[in-house]
Amino acid sequence: MSSRKMRLAAAVLVAGALTVTTACSSGHSNGSGTPGASKEPVKTTAITIGSADDSKGPAIAEPNAKKGGTVNMIDRDDFSHLDPGQIYINTNAEVSLLFTRQLTGYKTMADGSQKLVGDLATDTGSTTDGGKTWKFTLKDGVKWQDGSALTSADVKYSIERTYAKFIKSGPTYIQSWISGDKYRDAYQGPYEGQHLDAVQTPDAKTVVITFADVHPDANFTLAMAGYGVVPQAHDTKEEYDKKPYSSGPYQITEHVTDRSLDLERNPNWDASTDPIRNAYPDKWHMTFGVQAQQSTERFMADNGDDKTAFSFHNTVFPAYIDQVKNDEKLKPRTLQGLTPYVDYYYINNTRIKDQKIREAMVRAFPHQQTRQLQGGSSYGDYATSYMSPSVMGWESYDAYGINKKPEGDPEAAKKILTDANALNTTITYAFNNTPLQQKVTEAIRDAMTKAGFNFVPKPIDPKTYYDVIGLLNNEYDLYWGGWGADWPTGYTALQPVWDGRAMADGASNYGHVDDPEINAAIDAAAKIADPVAAGKAFAAIDKKLQDKAYAIPDVYQRSLSLYGSGLGGVKYDSLAGLQSPLNIYVK
Amino acid sequence: MTTPTGATTGGDTPGSTSDLADNAPADAPTDSGFRGLSPGKLMWRRFLRDRTGVVSAGVVLFFVLVAVLAPVISMIYGKDPQTHYGQNDPTLLTDSGLPVAPNGGMSGDFWFGLEPGLGRDILTQLVYGIRTSLIIAVATSVLTTVIGVALGIAAGYLGGKIDYFIGRVIDVLMSFPSQIFLIATMPVVTSLLVAPNEKIPEWLPFVAVTIVLSLLGWMGLARILRGVSLSLREREFIEAAKVTGASPMRIIFKEILPNLWTPILVQSTLALPAFVTAEAGLSYLGVGVSEPTPDWGRMIADAASYLRTDVTFLLFPGLAMVVFVLAFNLLGDSVRDAFDPKTSR
């Protein structure tokens, strides 16, 4: 065949293909409910403080669970840190539950609710002066992986070493509560033989921590993985990040960076001392580098080792959400829940000082459209408050009727703008320049333009996004950001983001809200010892923030994830927004 | 330093231009009497005999017409590429943004279906997307041709230091890894052209993509023209022109250029589809034309993640792209055959 004929044949073939209709893709249904409806009330996951009885081991057993086997884990990224002092990110914290213990921790009850209980400590600590001095007593029989006893000196040492220079990425709450914001100047860590007087060990079982001020929720702070214990005898400083010494049910056998992490049982862990960890499997094999699309496809296929696999962090890839939700076979191994994260569209309050304009922005914002682009109701529940429903004391309050009109109310916004004589106000919107965010920006542009704003979108390189919007003198009026509480009380949900004194380049107060009334209210609420009363006080601050329209809360983030059919006891940890490893067993 | 090894664009170089040079207008008949067919008419006849060429010319013409008449099509069809139909009407898309109706939401209202997510109409997106592709590809072709012609003839005719300098510039630019360079320069060019706090005007991505593509697109043509004009320079009719005292400008424009139309036309018709794909490639990688301007490359990139759940979304832009580029390439081939039947391929 001559080349010319071949070309003609090709041209005809392609022309013909154009007329072929496609019959290879079927329609999509909404599962339950109508599109975008999802107006079911947000379920609150109340956290309570457990008693000394609750703090006794062993953990609440899973029905039908059995011991043994190997559990696989597939995730996108390796754990960036394993040294407790360096752990702030939720995935790192979740895996370290398997080999590092803290003074306190969260116990999952039989009904799925969570309680703060003593982990190494016999209870959640006691304080006699409203939260300035905290006393913890260690349990009998808590040991390191070599069988030596875990003492109060180890706890003291673990807090001391968080002052060291090489500890860069962990939480800094306890340090700054003891020694002030410049805590590293006050004390340089235990490596040169100096000790921290604020942490006292009257005997081998007792730890007493004294803060400069009252912090009634410090027992929640100490439940952070960042305050896990590290033994002085085995502290290898920077090297410790690669292979931490175990105080929990498992120890690390091998860790190949960015490839795999293998755990085996720690023979010296005693289940009767541990109210939190069930530790059913004998081994854990974790592999990294699996993207969300891949892991979703693997879980759906459910072949070979993937049958006994779960994933801490990988959620269902957005394009598969409908398929996963409508597949009856997948239903038993689908996990859904609220994460601790609230997404906001921050309004830059240094640039937009007129409350009326901010209110118009809140009313005009197209929550439904932006959410649909990002996965619909599996992406999150429409947010009205600044705190997440998982925070203690959260109250439902919807100042602008967002739940009634999640698609935005351009007419109402336009009316406010007209009354304020502010039609065509320019809104410069900074966004992550990704294909998805370009589409989200389109939806926002559509709504804001309808409401009478002059909308100017500004793409920003995703790598530098937070650096750019973190500048106090940034030139944008509106930008996306999220915040998750470090522990479920109002203080960490609100203070870092909405306290005007926390404003700085790169700090979390992206909206530049500096309202003396709110600052004072946060101070007052932080000192309330009674958790219920403190929760009420923070809920009141939340309402005030809403009334003044300081930002646009968008969604309480949700998570939708899958795991293999060969596993049982896989639960969703709503405090971290991840799959929890603590009750998993191989069927 | 190595000297250029001649044509790097492979078989695109015309093997010989001598037959056309002999028929060049310089010695064309001045009286319109009976002297056989002009080279243009000969070429046209040869082209008409090539059925592939005619079919692809028809397809290309169709695409151009669609691009030109896009607003009319949109008006008759009753949809436009910017409205978020799926978001305005909750019965069209599911909660997570996939079309409710089968086959990607194809229906009497939306002939080619709906885009998942925003729910825009795919047919009008495609129709307006042709405009984007064509405007950029044509502008880039024109720009690269002008630069290539100017620099190529200058290098070939003037020779000496100028030839050496242009030759080295071409070498350097050709040694750039073009894809990586394009990705790296796009944001820079965009930020150079727009103040940090201004709205990015809709024409800007067009200009930026055109500039970036042109910057690395002119060297092939320039090299070919340099070689051809280098050989023409030594020919008798140029010598004659020199002797009669013609200025270099006159020699370049009146004596050399008319002999170069064949390689120029062939090169630029073949370059056009290459620029269409290059532009789509840039958009596919997320550095090309941005929302809300419809663009094929970006549509294909978006559709890739719906391959398993909504394949219709990939089908239409993918097919349109294949037909468009194929037709242009075949047309380019036929034009070359018609101009220069002796070329063996």
Side-chain angles (χ1 to χ4, degrees), chain B residues 20-339:
Chain B
L20 284 161
D22 290 342
N23 288 323
D27 55 341
T30 41
D31 61 316
S32 53
F34 181 74
R35 277 286 305 272
L37 290 166
S38 74
K41 279 188 181 148
L42 270 176
M43 173 257 159
W44 183 241
R45 284 203 171 177
R46 278 200 295 264
F47 180 74
L48 286 183
R49 277 204 300 271
D50 184 348
R51 265 192 300 166
T52 319
V54 174
V55 169
S56 16
V59 175
V60 167
L61 201 69
F62 169 74
F63 274 106
V64 173
L65 269 180
V66 167
V68 172
L69 297 177
V72 181
I73 294 171
S74 161
M75 203 177 72
I76 296 169
Y77 172 58
K79 304 281 183 305
D80 65 71
Q82 315 279 4
T83 307
H84 307 159
Y85 297 101
Q87 296 211 316
N88 297 341
D89 179 354
T91 58
L92 293 174
L93 297 183
T94 67
D95 168 53
S96 71
L98 288 172
V100 172
N103 300 325
M106 279 166 72
S107 66
D109 284 333
F110 305 97
W111 296 355
F112 283 12
L114 285 162
E115 176 194 23
L118 281 174
R120 293 180 290 203
D121 176 64
I122 290 181
L123 176 58
T124 47
Q125 285 258 313
L126 278 178
V127 166
Y128 276 85
I130 302 176
R131 287 191 148 194
T132 313
S133 292
L134 269 184
I135 289 173
I136 289 177
V138 168
T140 313
S141 298
V142 169
L143 212 61
T144 50
T145 308
V146 169
I147 300 173
V149 166
L151 293 181
I153 297 182
Y157 179 73
L158 299 173
K161 279 192 177 152
I162 295 178
D163 183 21
Y164 181 84
F165 179 72
I166 294 176
R168 296 300 81 75
V169 169
I170 292 178
D171 286 345
V172 169
L173 286 183
M174 280 198 139
S175 63
F176 270 58
S178 58
Q179 277 292 329
I180 297 171
F181 183 78
L182 294 176
I183 296 166
T185 42
M186 267 307 293
V188 180
V189 172
T190 313
S191 63
L192 278 179
L193 291 174
V194 69
N197 213 19
E198 252 170 45
K199 200 177 208 153
I200 295 180
E202 275 192 33
W203 51 264
L204 184 101
F206 287 80
V207 174
V209 173
T210 307
I211 291 176
V212 169
L213 283 178
S214 305
L215 204 65
L216 285 183
W218 57 272
M219 293 90 68
L221 181 66
R223 259 197 187 175
I224 290 164
L225 294 186
R226 172 187 171 272
V228 180
S229 46
L230 204 61
S231 72
L232 283 177
R233 191 174 66 166
E234 309 300 327
R235 299 280 289 273
E236 292 84 350
F237 69 96
I238 303 286
E239 298 274 308
K242 273 192 189 154
V243 169
T244 55
S247 65
M249 282 299 257
R250 191 191 150 79
I251 293 176
I252 288 178
F253 284 106
K254 295 280 178 183
E255 310 291 340
I256 295 184
L257 195 57
N259 287 300
L260 296 176
W261 282 122
T262 306
I264 293 173
L265 268 180
V266 169
Q267 273 291 312
S268 42
T269 36
L270 283 174
L272 197 90
F275 289 131
V276 170
T277 34
E279 185 272 328
L282 282 185
S283 301
Y284 185 89
L285 295 169
V287 288
V289 178
S290 52
E291 297 275 3
T293 313
D295 181 271
W296 290 8
R298 217 184 45 238
M299 281 177 89
I300 292 173
D302 290 344
S305 55
Y306 292 97
L307 192 58
R308 282 249 198 127
T309 44
D310 183 9
V311 75
T312 323
F313 183 31
L314 182 63
L315 191 79
F316 286 109
L319 267 183
M321 189 88 193
V322 168
V323 172
F324 189 54
V325 173
L326 188 70
F328 256 109
N329 268 314
L330 294 179
L331 179 67
D333 278 358
S334 302
V335 168
R336 182 177 56 194
D337 290 353
F339 265 115

Side-chain angles (χ1 to χ4, degrees), chain A residues 87-311:
Chain A
I87 292 179
Y88 208 159
I89 297 172
N90 57 353
T91 45
N92 297 344
E94 199 73 13
V95 74
S96 83
L97 285 173
L98 293 173
F99 43 77
T100 305
R101 297 179 70 173
Q102 304 90 22
L103 282 175
T104 55
Y106 299 99
K107 178 182 193 173
T108 305
M109 307 306 286
D111 62 355
S113 66
Q114 284 180 304
K115 273 187 182 174
L116 183 78
V117 295
D119 181 359
L120 290 170
T122 53
D123 56 17
T124 58
S126 56
T127 176
T128 48
D129 50 8
K132 199 170 171 184
T133 313
W134 282 88
K135 185 177 157 203
F136 295 91
T137 311
L138 299 187
K139 286 172 186 162
D140 295 322
V142 287
K143 289 179 192 145
W144 293 105
Q145 71 180 60
D146 61 357
S148 60
L150 202 160
T151 65
S152 57
D154 289 318
V155 177
K156 176 178 162 81
Y157 178 79
S158 307
I159 295 176
E160 284 175 346
R161 73 190 285 283
T162 60
Y163 283 73
K165 272 211 181 69
F166 70 88
I167 300 284
K168 290 194 181 80
S169 51
T172 59
Y173 292 103
I174 298 290
Q175 298 95 301
S176 50
W177 288 350
I178 292 174
S179 315
D181 284 339
K182 294 208 165 73
Y183 63 88
R184 276 186 220 273
D185 296 340
Y187 176 62
Q188 282 83 35
Y191 296 104
E192 269 132 47
Q194 282 149 334
H195 290 286
L196 196 60
D197 294 333
V199 185
Q200 290 295 333
T201 52
D203 60 58
K205 290 268 166 240
T206 312
V207 184
V208 179
I209 306 171
T210 313
F211 299 122
D213 211 338
V214 293
H215 294 285
D217 50 1
N219 47 1
F220 282 95
T221 319
L222 287 163
M224 293 176 80
Y227 295 108
V229 286
V230 176
Q232 184 163 12
H234 299 276
D235 184 6
T236 46
K237 293 191 179 178
E238 286 93 339
E239 292 297 303
Y240 197 78
D241 216 8
K242 293 203 184 102
K243 209 169 177 186
Y245 205 69
S246 174
S247 52
Y250 296 95
Q251 55 198 34
I252 295 174
T253 47
E254 198 187 11
H255 185 195
V256 186
T257 308
D258 289 337
R259 290 233 348 250
S260 65
L261 174 71
D262 285 281
L263 305 178
E264 64 177 17
R265 269 193 199 285
N266 166 14
N268 287 304
W269 170 79
D270 182 357
S272 67
T273 64
D274 198 325
I276 296 167
R277 301 163 180 84
N278 263 318
Y280 292 121
D282 288 336
K283 283 183 176 158
W284 300 81
H285 178 65
M286 313 194 177
T287 41
F288 314 106
V290 185
Q291 299 292 327
Q293 184 165 3
Q294 275 177 289
S295 65
T296 308
E297 286 164 3
R298 280 170 66 174
F299 284 130
M300 285 162 78
D302 199 34
N303 287 326
D305 281 350
D306 293 339
K307 278 188 185 165
T308 52
F310 76 110
S311 175

